[in-house]
Amino acid sequence: MQVYPGKQLTVSQIKTVRESQERAKADAAALGDDSLVVDPNLKDFSNVSEDNGNDPVFLLTREAGTIVVRQQGMDYFDTSGSRIPVDLKTDRLEPLVVSAAGKYVAVGQQTREFMITSIHGGLYDWIGLGIKAEIFPPIIFLGVGALTDFGPLLAAPRTLLLGAAAQVGVAATFFMALFMRFSPEEAASIGIIGGADGPTSIFLTMKLAPHLLGAVAVAAYTYMALVPLIQPPIMALLTTKKERVIRMKSLRQVSKGEKLFFAVLVTIVTILLIPDAAPLIGMLMLGNFMRECKVTERLVQASQNEIINIVTIFLGTSVGLTMQGDRFLQPETLLIILLGIVAFGVATAGGVIAAKLMNLIWRKNPVNPLIGSAGVSAVPMAARVSHNVGQKYDPSNYLLMHAMGPNVAGVIGTAVIAGYYIATLAR
């Protein structure tokens, strides 16, 4: 395993106590630390069962020596099963890790002498940490939030349904990938491509299937760039000329207080219900809160321009570092890209069809089905495509602000789906 500054040295494989100590000593010596001494008196548990296999295990250090003890309730027992009185005020306990089967004990955290103070590597190693430590995607969401106006969504809350409907592409592709014998974690990472949200796709894939990061990122950003080519044929196929020229009522003016309250409310609800999506949604709403409060113009300008541009460069570079030939140049990469376009197409169709169904309910205030395609997360490109296609049939019909409602709803929806997958599938 790689060890970074401030991270304690750990043993990556479950071994017996003595083997673990020997391995830890060798690792420490390789890093220039010869202070670890292996205790020859350490023994493994001989009476471990499935019932107590995951009880906390510690190294108990006293003047007489070091022994391994297992905590059961408030009591401690040694490897032979004898109860050991422990005084937490005077005795020193070091945490260990016990295997799920309960047959072996491995050192989980070493003493403070093993704190690493240097790292070997260059610029690309440090840039790669932005992906491994899940830093870049949330920062990009900060910039997206600073660029986004949630007013159209708040003025027409029903468009939230269109953003939700577009997530059908994520769900459908998830099941297709499972049918093609991808693991659930891989299927979720492939399905999220349908949300047309690059940072979210990278964030989820690093959590569930990091070996697919290169293929998923390429597919997600490719189809985001191809929105003007992919979506119009689907929109034309699923709508009639009469539907394409529907004029929607003007949106009401949304107050600053409503926008600020919305940002805070969405953040709190996300943290409480889907905490795994909080890094993305929280940063999105922070950027939007700074935008709408009108007192942090310099920070908003930096988030909209310098910060998001720099991080985008680093994000592309770090993703490119994962595209080693033995991983990326594989038949499954092409399959992932093909599944990605299916996901994106189904998401677009889902939004359009949902808009048509909404017109069965709101007959007096119909929705132009073209804005349903903006339910994917490609902000603001998908909204512009909806607007441009509409103007081909009626040059005086302005759909851009109406399409921004489902567009920003899609950003939230994709992040929520990603949080759900992480909560249910991450190990």
Side-chain angles (χ1 to χ4, degrees):
M1 63 175 293
Q2 285 185 290
V3 183
Y4 302 110
K7 185 177 181 65
Q8 289 182 303
L9 185 66
T10 62
V11 177
S12 59
Q13 294 182 343
I14 300 295
K15 296 179 178 291
T16 62
V17 172
R18 183 166 182 79
E19 286 179 302
S20 297
Q21 290 278 298
E22 294 283 2
R23 175 63 181 275
K25 180 180 179 180
D27 289 344
L31 294 171
D33 188 341
D34 297 319
S35 62
L36 178 62
V37 177
V38 177
D39 190 334
N41 296 319
L42 288 178
K43 297 179 180 179
D44 296 314
F45 287 97
S46 57
N47 60 339
V48 176
S49 66
E50 296 290 341
D51 295 332
N52 61 11
N54 290 315
D55 289 336
V57 180
F58 303 91
L59 278 178
L60 173 60
T61 303
R62 291 174 171 168
E63 293 182 0
T66 302
I67 60 174
V68 179
V69 295
R70 182 189 304 281
Q71 182 181 6
Q72 297 179 356
M74 299 299 293
D75 298 322
Y76 296 84
F77 300 86
D78 63 12
T79 55
S80 64
S82 301
R83 185 177 178 279
I84 302 294
V86 175
D87 186 351
L88 297 178
K89 295 182 180 179
T90 58
D91 289 327
R92 178 185 174 189
L93 291 173
E94 290 187 47
L96 302 179
V97 175
V98 67
S99 70
K103 296 180 179 179
Y104 301 100
V105 178
V107 174
Q109 290 184 326
Q110 303 296 333
T111 55
R112 282 173 290 182
E113 287 80 14
F114 290 131
M115 295 292 286
I116 307 303
T117 58
S118 64
I119 184 171
H120 300 287
L123 174 63
Y124 285 146
D125 294 297
W126 286 103
I127 291 178
L129 289 178
I131 289 291
K132 296 174 184 176
E134 299 162 5
I135 297 172
F136 291 159
I139 292 179
I140 288 182
F141 263 63
L142 174 72
V144 171
L147 287 163
T148 301
D149 181 9
F150 284 99
L153 175 63
L154 296 175
R158 62 179 177 169
T159 57
L160 187 66
L161 299 175
L162 300 178
Q167 306 311 313
V168 69
V170 177
T173 309
F174 172 78
F175 290 110
M176 288 179 62
L178 284 179
F179 179 76
M180 294 181 180
R181 298 189 177 181
F182 284 96
S183 69
E185 295 81 6
E186 293 171 337
S189 300
I190 296 170
I192 204 70
I193 296 172
D197 190 334
T200 302
S201 299
I202 291 171
F203 186 80
L204 177 65
T205 304
M206 276 303 299
K207 289 276 192 180
L208 300 183
H211 59 287
L212 298 182
L213 179 60
V216 170
V218 166
Y221 279 102
T222 297
Y223 299 132
M224 286 173 63
L226 294 178
V227 164
L229 295 178
I230 298 173
Q231 286 196 324
I234 299 174
M235 297 158 68
L237 179 65
L238 296 176
T239 57
T240 64
K241 186 175 180 179
K242 181 179 179 181
E243 290 174 327
R244 295 173 206 143
V245 296
I246 291 176
R247 294 201 173 196
M248 300 177 64
K249 294 182 179 180
S250 298
L251 298 174
R252 68 177 180 85
Q253 188 70 27
V254 179
S255 68
K256 181 175 74 171
E258 287 180 273
K259 295 178 181 179
L260 294 177
F261 177 75
F262 176 74
V264 174
L265 178 64
V266 170
T267 302
I268 293 174
V269 171
T270 302
I271 291 173
L272 293 177
L273 299 182
I274 316 168
D276 290 291
L280 298 179
I281 298 295
M283 292 296 278
L284 177 73
M285 294 303 164
L286 173 61
N288 189 254
F289 191 92
M290 293 193 302
R291 169 195 170 99
E292 300 300 342
C293 71
K294 307 298 183 184
V295 294
T296 57
E297 291 300 325
R298 188 166 58 88
L299 298 181
V300 172
Q301 289 295 325
S303 300
Q304 292 176 338
N305 298 286
E306 293 84 0
I307 293 176
I308 194 171
N309 290 338
I310 292 171
V311 174
T312 298
I313 293 173
F314 286 168
L315 179 69
T317 303
S318 54
V319 169
L321 294 175
T322 68
M323 297 182 186
Q324 298 98 331
D326 58 338
R327 290 187 179 183
F328 187 74
L329 300 178
Q330 297 291 333
E332 71 174 10
T333 300
L334 181 60
L335 182 57
I336 290 171
I337 294 175
L338 292 175
L339 284 171
I341 195 170
V342 171
F344 190 70
V346 174
T348 301
V352 173
I353 293 172
K356 292 166 69 76
L357 294 175
M358 287 172 61
N359 287 338
L360 300 177
I361 301 174
W362 287 282
R363 295 180 182 274
K364 294 183 179 181
N365 185 17
V367 174
N368 190 314
L370 294 178
I371 72 169
S373 65
V376 297
S377 300
V379 179
M381 190 181 302
R384 288 176 180 168
V385 170
S386 298
H387 172 73
N388 292 337
V389 172
Q391 288 216 314
K392 287 183 180 180
Y393 299 94
D394 182 359
S396 62
N397 191 10
Y398 293 91
L399 296 175
L400 182 60
M401 292 309 295
H402 298 286
M404 282 302 297
N407 207 184
V408 297
V411 176
I412 298 174
T414 303
V416 168
I417 290 290
Y420 171 77
Y421 279 145
I422 293 171
T424 56
L425 298 177
R427 297 175 180 174

